[in-house]
Amino acid sequence: MAVKTRSHWKEYGTALCATLITATAGTCYGWPSPTLLYLESEESSIPTTAYQGSWIVSIMILCSALTPIPSAYLADKFGRKTTLLLGAIPFIIGWILVIVAKSLPMLYVARIFSGLGYGVVYTVAPMYTGEIATNEVRGALSTLITLMNKVGILAQYCIGPFVSMRTLASINLILPFTFIITFCFLPESPYYYLKFERSDRAERSLRSLRSGDIRTELKSIELNVQEDMKNRGSWSDLFTEATNKKAMWITLGVFTVQQFCGSAAVVAYSQFIFNCTTGPTILPNGTLEEKTRKSIEPYQESIIIGCVQVATCILSVLLVDRVGRKPLLLLSTLGVGLMNGTIGTYFYFYDTNKQAVQNVSWILLVALIVYIVCYAIGLSTVPYVTIGEMFPTNVKLYASCIAHIYTGVAMFAVQNLFRVVEQAYKIYTVFWGFTIFSFLGLVFMVMMLPETKGKSFASIQAQLRHEVARDNAKKIDTVEY
């Protein structure tokens, strides 16, 4: 007799509507790539310098660090669904401000609002999709968050070069409004209802997400929620419990590598990076030379990069449970470091001895494609997996909030300093700097990062306790010596 398998189309449909808001976040993230070239050109209605452009790019991410803690509180108090709906409002305000902007301060304010929404989305969306999913599709639904973000970025690469800045903002407004209209009719997380002992609403919510009998699953969720409520943690537990403290420092170290390998700059400045090899250049003798046009335009190269991002964003999910977390992160970091070095070296020769690389102009595009693939298989998603595996349930949300805040600040630094360093020391210096950070991160992960693949939470905690005890023993030996 064949075993009847449960249909998951309701979960996929709900998650797809929910992740429209992460696609909206992706449009905000990718918007500067085609737009900055216009803003910094002579035709711009809002004249912008390179330094001001770096603030247009980076201020959004800086402000995204302000909302994880408030949004986590709102998600617990008023529900995941309500908080995500509220998170769409800053995006709408941001795009409207871009449409009416007549000055740089107005663009800054628009990006600030987008950043506030970005922080809400990436705190609450993983919570919501994780809680509505069954174990069989939880990984796939979590992938949708990243996939939809990349789709939003790709949309900017594809549409931006052909329309005005304000038209692009008007098109981008469609997504948050579509999200609000569709998501209003979808259920709240059953976990949220059970947390406040609203069993009847939790049952209705779960029934709208599942096909077939839900009684066993509802009882299981109820027991999980009761267990979580009994063992409620606090912010201080992250830094007073030895294993949590160890896990926190490892997590922040991995996120440092994730950001300072330059990924945020590559995505936000994609078209600018390709544009560095077009336009006039001043030769050492002071004469002006027109650079030969490439067979592929910079915006077309950006579109290729965007397509590769979309195609590879699910790659790490397919590999992470087969290869392991640590090997994937090491391979990813090594690949990213090598490609940063390759790109930096290409730009160095392009700047100092153009003839040496005039027949290998394809290296830049190929190196960036390999960079995107290497980043996608490990550094893009695995750091978030480590949060889920190294922290107990009662402090996981707090750890996630701190990681998001730290990531926002680090990403801001990378995006803001990219143009500053490029203007002062040339673009090859930027990529060589990313190379150094990548290889330092590789050493850190080899020495500090534990492998968590296939291990229970209890086993991971025991490993962390063993490492803490070993570190303490070393300290005692040093003091005695």
Side-chain angles (χ1 to χ4, degrees):
M1 181 178 177
V3 178
K4 187 178 179 181
T5 57
R6 176 186 279 179
S7 172
H8 298 288
W9 68 268
K10 290 183 178 180
E11 295 161 77
Y12 280 111
T14 302
L16 186 63
C17 291
T19 52
L20 284 175
I21 196 65
T22 63
T24 301
T27 62
C28 296
Y29 197 80
W31 176 80
S33 181
T35 306
L36 273 184
L37 293 179
Y38 161 73
L39 288 173
E40 295 177 15
S41 70
E42 294 180 358
E43 294 79 23
S44 174
S45 60
I46 306 175
T48 306
T49 65
Y51 178 70
Q52 291 166 336
S54 71
W55 275 96
I56 290 174
V57 173
S58 59
I59 198 170
M60 182 191 90
I61 295 300
L62 179 64
C63 292
S64 73
L66 301 175
T67 47
I69 293 176
S71 49
Y73 170 79
L74 290 173
D76 267 353
K77 186 77 174 172
F78 302 106
R80 287 69 162 132
K81 177 182 174 181
T82 301
T83 307
L84 281 174
L85 288 170
L86 290 173
I89 295 173
F91 288 123
I92 292 171
I93 295 172
W95 288 128
I96 290 173
L97 289 174
V98 170
I99 293 169
V100 302
K102 290 185 173 21
S103 64
L104 268 175
M106 187 74 84
L107 286 179
Y108 290 150
V109 173
R111 297 291 285 170
I112 287 170
F113 273 103
S114 296
L116 296 176
Y118 200 94
V120 173
V121 165
Y122 275 92
T123 303
V124 184
M127 196 185 305
Y128 180 80
T129 55
E131 290 177 353
I132 67 167
T134 52
N135 293 335
E136 295 88 344
V137 297
R138 184 167 288 115
L141 297 195
S142 297
T143 307
L144 265 180
I145 294 175
T146 305
L147 176 62
M148 294 295 278
N149 178 273
K150 304 303 183 189
V151 168
I153 294 171
L154 176 61
Q156 304 309 287
Y157 292 173
C158 292
I159 301 170
F162 306 104
V163 299
S164 70
M165 177 183 76
R166 292 177 175 83
T167 302
L168 182 59
S170 302
I171 293 170
N172 290 339
L173 261 178
I174 296 171
L175 268 179
F177 279 118
T178 305
F179 165 75
I180 290 173
I181 292 168
T182 57
F183 198 56
C184 274
F185 299 99
L186 296 177
E188 175 59 89
S189 161
Y191 282 80
Y192 168 73
Y193 284 134
L194 288 172
K195 192 171 182 180
F196 293 96
E197 299 181 352
R198 300 175 187 170
S199 300
D200 53 337
R201 291 194 178 188
E203 185 177 350
R204 283 201 300 271
S205 171
L206 196 60
R207 201 171 292 284
S208 65
L209 291 165
R210 304 285 186 266
S211 303
D213 188 21
I214 63 165
R215 287 173 295 180
T216 304
E217 185 180 359
L218 183 64
K219 186 63 179 174
S220 174
I221 295 173
E222 194 167 1
L223 291 172
N224 287 337
V225 170
Q226 288 171 358
E227 188 65 27
D228 288 348
M229 295 299 288
K230 271 190 232 173
N231 301 306
R232 299 191 76 171
S234 65
W235 291 97
S236 62
D237 288 341
L238 281 176
F239 302 101
T240 54
E241 294 282 339
T243 52
N244 290 342
K245 189 159 57 171
K246 176 85 173 177
M248 194 75 248
W249 289 122
I250 292 172
T251 299
L252 292 180
V254 173
F255 276 100
T256 299
V257 182
Q258 182 198 56
Q259 294 308 317
F260 284 91
C261 72
S263 59
V266 169
V267 173
Y269 294 107
S270 173
Q271 200 165 327
F272 168 82
I273 292 169
F274 288 117
N275 220 52
C276 286
T277 56
T278 62
T281 185
I282 299 174
L283 296 175
N285 62 9
T287 60
L288 197 67
E289 180 190 49
E290 284 294 329
K291 294 180 184 176
T292 55
R293 300 299 297 174
K294 297 187 292 185
S295 58
I296 304 178
E297 292 294 323
Y299 77 85
Q300 294 171 328
E301 292 175 308
S302 294
I303 291 172
I304 292 171
I305 292 297
C307 290
V308 172
Q309 280 187 313
V310 172
T312 57
C313 74
I314 60 172
L315 197 56
S316 67
V317 177
L318 298 175
L319 294 174
V320 72
D321 286 324
R322 292 174 172 82
V323 180
R325 284 67 162 142
K326 187 170 182 175
L328 268 184
L329 279 173
L330 294 178
L331 179 63
S332 177
T333 307
L334 177 62
V336 164
L338 290 173
M339 290 307 103
N340 274 324
T342 302
I343 295 165
T345 303
Y346 174 83
F347 275 122
Y348 174 77
F349 281 108
Y350 193 92
D351 192 64
T352 58
N353 184 14
K354 181 183 171 185
Q355 285 71 26
V357 294
Q358 64 180 355
N359 294 323
V360 288
S361 58
W362 50 267
I363 284 179
L364 180 60
L365 177 59
V366 170
L368 279 167
I369 288 174
V370 176
Y371 176 102
I372 292 297
V373 172
C374 289
Y375 183 77
I377 65 172
L379 284 168
S380 177
T381 53
V382 176
Y384 302 99
V385 175
T386 62
I387 290 180
E389 293 180 332
M390 290 206 293
F391 292 96
T393 304
N394 61 341
V395 295
K396 199 173 292 183
L397 180 60
Y398 303 130
S400 181
C401 284
I402 290 175
H404 276 96
I405 293 168
Y406 177 79
T407 301
V409 174
M411 204 183 296
F412 161 77
V414 170
Q415 290 184 337
N416 190 271
L417 292 174
F418 179 89
R419 291 301 302 277
V420 174
V421 177
E422 178 268 331
Q423 291 280 301
Y425 303 105
K426 303 290 187 181
I427 193 168
Y428 55 80
T429 307
V430 179
F431 280 97
W432 283 345
F434 292 153
T435 303
I436 293 169
F437 276 111
S438 299
F439 286 119
L440 287 175
L442 187 66
V443 173
F444 167 81
M445 288 191 283
V446 167
M447 297 176 64
M448 301 296 295
L449 186 67
E451 176 57 80
T452 57
K453 177 196 171 219
K455 294 181 180 178
S456 66
F457 175 71
S459 174
I460 295 168
Q461 289 294 295
Q463 183 177 352
L464 288 172
R465 278 194 296 272
H466 173 73
E467 291 180 6
V468 168
R470 185 187 60 197
D471 293 343
N472 289 339
K474 285 181 181 178
K475 289 177 185 176
I476 291 170
D477 289 343
T478 303
V479 170
E480 287 177 350
Y481 178 77

